[in-house]
Amino acid sequence: MELAFVTNWPKTDVNLCIKKLLGDYVCSLSCRNTFAFTAIASCKNADTKEEREIFIPQVHIIDPDRPWERYSNTGDHKDPITLLEWESTGTRLLSGDAGGRIVLWQMKNHMLNDWSCSTETHISGEPIVATSWLHGVSKLYYDVDNIECPNWLEVFKHIPFQPSLKLHGSSHAEGWIAVTTQGMVTVKLLNLKGESEVSQRLSQTRPIHVAVADIAFQSSGHILIAVADGSTRLPVHVFRITLKWERNKCTMKIDQLPSYFVRCCLDFNTREKYPTISHLKFLNKECMKPQIGSRATEQLVVCASGSNGSCIEICTLEKEPNPLNIPQVFQSTQMNRDKTSSQLVWMHRASHTDISTVSAIAMPRLPLNLSSKIYNGPGMCLAVTNVDGTIKLLHRLTLRLCDAFKYEKVKPDSQGKRQKVLQGKHVVCMEMSNSCCALMGVDRAGSVCLFRIRPMLGQSVDQGALRAHTISVVVNLFVYCLVTGFDQWDVILRVTPNMVEAILDKLTNGFKNQPKATQELLMMKFMSTRAALYRIAASVSGKATDSFGKLILLSTANVIRSQLQPTSHSPVKKGPSDQLSSICSANADLDVDKLRANLDPRDFDIETSTLRSLHAPIEFLVNLAILVLTAIHPQSHQYHKPGTHHYHKTGVLILKDSSTLELFRELLLLLRIWSQDKSNAFPVFPTTVDSIDAIPHIYRLITQFWLCCKDENQHTEPSEELIDECVLLASYVQVPCWEFFPVTEGILGKLHSPHGSRNFQFDTGPGSLISIVTFGMGPEKFTRSTMDMLDRNHTKTDIISGRFIGTFPSQELRRCSRCSSLSLLPTPEQLSVSKPWEHNWVRTCICGGLWKRVLKK
């Protein structure tokens, strides 16, 4: 484990002293690697006549790739915020405070810096200590036993989960459940007709004070709630909640499960050493039904603390045999005398003691399906931070120490007995990422810190075997992100530039071995992962550009093909897309009009209005083909020679990919059909020579490159005449000069420098990371400062459509939070046919970063 960066508040912040004195923060990390944390801000009190400042809590949201950019939300919180909880999609956030108020923050139009308060719940006078979103219907688990299975969809299994609240049919309710300090359980439902909120005490017979609590979900649909009043002399109570929807109203049933006494307090010598239960967490948020040979998933992590240190214990909810001692006189002859019953008990499994007080605990978020098989990969450690500045990784089964890191040395006082916490920094709250490769937290001064965790812990092997094993584990994590759709930023955080080629080779070979249906399902996400990996290696930046080009090409092909409707329902006749694929793969004729003559134009007929709405993807397709062809260097002997500068040049890899070239041929053939049948609605591509038509000429050149590489076992080099024609193409047609493909502007790929961790400051961008970038996809590249991308003097380009949008467009802009690429906000007035084109990039940019609204000054 190592420190990646620390982002501090500026020294001119008027609230910096208050932040250091309070030091009470909460944080949460979403599946999209968006980090939310709290801080204190000051404002004028408008309720009183006196103009004095009051301190209110704020929720700050950052993208860890650019941790100096923060987006603040205040809302209606007046009391300290006690918890933050992201929704599973990463677009909604819950915040609860000490006054009993819970606020739902909704991301507007998928903009990272645009949030609105959509719903509020107020439980008067009862501080919120725990909350969680209601569970859905399924869960994708990381199956350790099938980790070497070649089929990716079998490695990550869908475990059936009953929803927390099942509605009519197979639908389930959305909402959240919260626990207060007075033992009140409140369920809030969203978007339902009828009663949307229900509350009930955990115990109807005696009052329960709750100091710490946590919530988990069982595969049967039940909700587990563990509570403790903070004293180790009293047990940890566990309750099972059952929700039902009856007569347009939600009903709640609460059953008490066995309690657990902290074992360290059963010993007379340590009873007074750890008087307080400071942390209580479920090791697994989703507790599936244990299978044969697998371990129980209902596990509690209890931390008892005192002035002399802390003790962490793990206990498991298991069934214990309870023999039925029935007297002989009451037994029948058919009764099985060996028959036994069972009861649920909490079994102590492991413990860990520390001489320093624990300040925060982070649970692993990678859902593992563990068995008796030995597994030491990601997800097997939980993180513990102490007030002395140390951060430890403990094994989730045995609590043995796997790794440790000293965040900052805390100086002891003059007597040398008790440590002065205020003289040093220590992490007060933290969370692990979904892949368990990163750990983000907030220290006592309010600074955000990021730690990188090694995928393999405790491996005593040589460096070569360790590197090979690490590459294998990282590839499995990338596959997990592909299947689940999670952001892979935290996985790339562990990739060094010299590992990129080995990881991509293994990932590509595994992708080729998948069924065709799986490849089509994961193709877009796979190309995005390839491009993201190439971006962190400066020597193969051209491959990154080609990967982004293929990614948008696939999106364009999906939009264009979606407009083709079969004219006949006969099972014998192929559809329009199948006809294009079969004729292009079987016919190597260089004349596109000869292929067009073999097809019926009526099978590819579309409406004129639809064709006009497709101008943007059609222009992108033709311009991309022109850029790829004109990127060829005139010296053909460098075309296939690895290690040369032109081997990694943009466009070369596309011209060596037979599948991409075949897709180009199919789409160009379709465009040729439309240009001849509906010439009045087809975009015009002018040429300098009247005898040359743009689309047939481009098709002929691409077909010749396709003939050179269509045989995977035998590649031939293009002829000198073909290279010359590509060079002369720039004099026949207009070559667009695009600021088209994303650039590496954040910290990803720049954390492997020998200088160690980096220090940033909120609201101040580091010039060393964003000063100069390279744009373009052709023989003429140029550099520009990224700070000029939002000014009024330079021409801007829409990264989605590739069109120039002027120096200061009147329409609203959105900017990527990672690569700073610009795009126009899609308007509701767009035609329905354009929605598939925009829908691919509504949530994220091409590089995978989130959008943020550009605020006009």
Side-chain angles (χ1 to χ4, degrees), residues 138-194:
S138 65
K139 182 65 179 179
L140 199 63
Y141 269 83
Y142 194 100
D143 196 350
V144 175
D145 293 336
N146 296 332
I147 199 169
E148 300 297 335
C149 180
N151 192 343
W152 289 353
L153 298 183
E154 293 182 3
V155 177
F156 311 100
K157 294 184 177 180
H158 280 278
I159 304 297
F161 253 77
Q162 293 294 330
S164 301
L165 180 56
K166 187 176 181 180
L167 302 177
H168 304 292
S170 59
S171 60
H172 64 277
E174 288 187 343
W176 65 80
I177 182 172
V179 182
T180 66
T181 56
Q182 301 299 324
M184 178 71 75
V185 179
T186 301
V187 176
K188 175 67 176 179
L189 305 178
L190 302 175
N191 304 324
L192 283 181
K193 294 182 179 179

Side-chain angles (χ1 to χ4, degrees), residues 717-732:
E717 295 187 3
S719 61
E720 294 289 345
E721 292 78 8
L722 178 58
I723 300 297
D724 294 339
E725 288 190 52
C726 293
V727 174
L728 293 176
L729 180 63
S731 61
Y732 298 150

Side-chain angles (χ1 to χ4, degrees), residues 393-613:
L393 296 180
L394 305 179
H395 199 276
R396 64 183 296 169
L397 300 179
T398 62
L399 289 183
R400 64 177 177 85
L401 182 62
C402 297
D403 199 357
F405 178 81
K406 191 72 171 180
Y407 181 56
E408 183 180 278
K409 186 177 181 181
V410 181
K411 298 180 180 180
D413 60 2
S414 59
Q415 298 179 357
K417 294 181 179 180
R418 188 172 296 178
Q419 295 173 336
K420 289 185 177 180
V421 178
L422 292 179
Q423 289 185 359
K425 294 181 180 180
H426 67 274
V427 178
V428 296
C429 63
M430 60 182 179
E431 273 210 9
M432 278 192 184
S433 63
N434 283 282
S435 65
C436 297
C437 290
L439 181 68
M440 287 197 72
V442 182
D443 63 16
R444 189 175 180 83
S447 302
V448 176
C449 50
L450 174 68
F451 303 90
R452 292 183 292 180
I453 303 176
R454 290 182 297 173
M456 302 300 297
L457 299 175
Q459 302 297 316
S460 58
V461 293
D462 59 324
Q463 293 297 323
L466 180 60
R467 182 178 182 274
H469 206 170
T470 302
I471 289 175
S472 178
V473 171
V474 169
V475 169
N476 291 331
L477 291 177
F478 275 120
V479 176
Y480 175 73
C481 293
L482 288 175
V483 176
T484 58
F486 291 160
D487 185 29
Q488 71 272 14
W489 184 90
D490 51 333
V491 184
I492 303 178
L493 200 65
R494 290 304 318 175
V495 178
T496 57
N498 58 356
M499 295 168 54
V500 172
E501 292 290 349
I503 291 175
L504 280 174
D505 289 343
K506 190 169 184 178
L507 190 64
T508 303
N509 293 334
F511 182 78
K512 291 180 179 179
N513 295 330
Q514 303 304 308
K516 186 177 180 181
T518 304
Q519 292 185 13
E520 294 179 355
L521 177 65
L522 304 177
M523 176 62 73
M524 298 285 290
K525 190 70 176 177
F526 175 72
M527 295 306 303
S528 178
T529 303
R530 283 177 57 93
L533 283 172
Y534 279 134
R535 289 174 68 202
I536 68 175
S539 60
V540 289
S541 59
K543 293 183 179 181
T545 310
D546 288 344
S547 299
F548 283 120
K550 293 179 184 179
L551 180 63
I552 308 185
L553 176 63
L554 291 174
S555 175
T556 307
N558 293 334
V559 173
I560 294 178
R561 286 175 171 176
S562 64
Q563 308 308 316
L564 300 177
Q565 302 295 332
T567 57
S568 176
H569 298 285
S570 174
V572 179
K573 187 176 181 180
K574 296 181 179 180
S577 298
D578 295 335
Q579 293 183 40
L580 290 175
S581 301
S582 59
I583 194 173
C584 288
S585 60
N587 198 326
D589 202 318
L590 301 180
D591 191 357
V592 66
D593 290 327
K594 292 184 179 179
L595 273 69
R596 182 175 62 89
N598 298 327
L599 298 174
D600 188 0
R602 292 175 296 180
D603 295 338
F604 306 93
D605 187 31
I606 61 173
E607 297 181 359
T608 303
S609 59
T610 303
L611 182 58
R612 287 197 178 98
S613 63

Side-chain angles (χ1 to χ4, degrees), residues 228-371:
D229 70 341
S231 175
T232 54
R233 295 180 178 272
L234 296 178
V236 176
H237 298 287
V238 182
F239 299 90
R240 181 171 58 196
I241 313 296
T242 304
L243 301 178
K244 289 186 179 180
W245 183 258
E246 298 175 348
R247 298 179 181 180
N248 291 334
K249 143 172 128 165
C250 178
T251 60
M252 183 189 307
K253 180 184 177 183
I254 301 179
D255 299 321
Q256 186 167 2
L257 296 181
S259 302
Y260 174 75
F261 282 90
V262 182
R263 170 168 276 194
C264 64
C265 295
L266 300 179
D267 189 358
F268 180 79
N269 297 325
T270 60
R271 180 176 300 176
E272 302 297 335
K273 190 176 180 180
Y274 312 111
T276 305
I277 297 179
S278 58
H279 298 85
L280 177 65
K281 289 181 177 293
F282 281 100
L283 189 58
N284 302 300
K285 281 293 186 182
E286 292 88 9
C287 306
M288 67 178 182
K289 184 178 180 180
Q291 302 176 359
I292 300 177
S294 61
R295 306 176 188 271
T297 56
E298 290 87 356
Q299 295 177 309
L300 265 178
V301 178
V302 185
C303 177
S305 301
S307 60
N308 297 321
S310 299
C311 179
I312 302 175
E313 297 182 2
I314 289 183
C315 57
T316 306
L317 185 62
E318 298 181 358
K319 290 184 178 181
E320 185 182 56
N322 184 23
L324 296 176
N325 297 322
I326 303 176
Q328 184 72 24
V329 67
F330 297 107
Q331 294 182 5
S332 61
T333 55
Q334 284 85 14
M335 181 181 293
N336 187 2
R337 300 179 185 271
D338 298 328
K339 184 179 180 180
T340 59
S341 64
S342 61
Q343 61 180 356
L344 292 174
V345 294
W346 287 100
M347 303 291 293
H348 178 270
R349 289 304 175 190
S351 60
H352 172 81
T353 58
D354 203 316
I355 60 175
S356 179
T357 305
V358 172
S359 60
I361 299 179
M363 297 293 110
R365 298 174 59 184
L366 185 65
L368 298 178
N369 186 12
L370 295 176
S371 62

Side-chain angles (χ1 to χ4, degrees), residues 737-741 775-776 782 784 789 795-799:
C737 185
W738 286 349
E739 302 170 12
F740 181 69
F741 295 100
F775 296 97
F782 57 95
R784 174 187 296 178
M789 299 178 69
T795 303
K796 302 169 181 59
T797 306
D798 192 329
I799 193 172

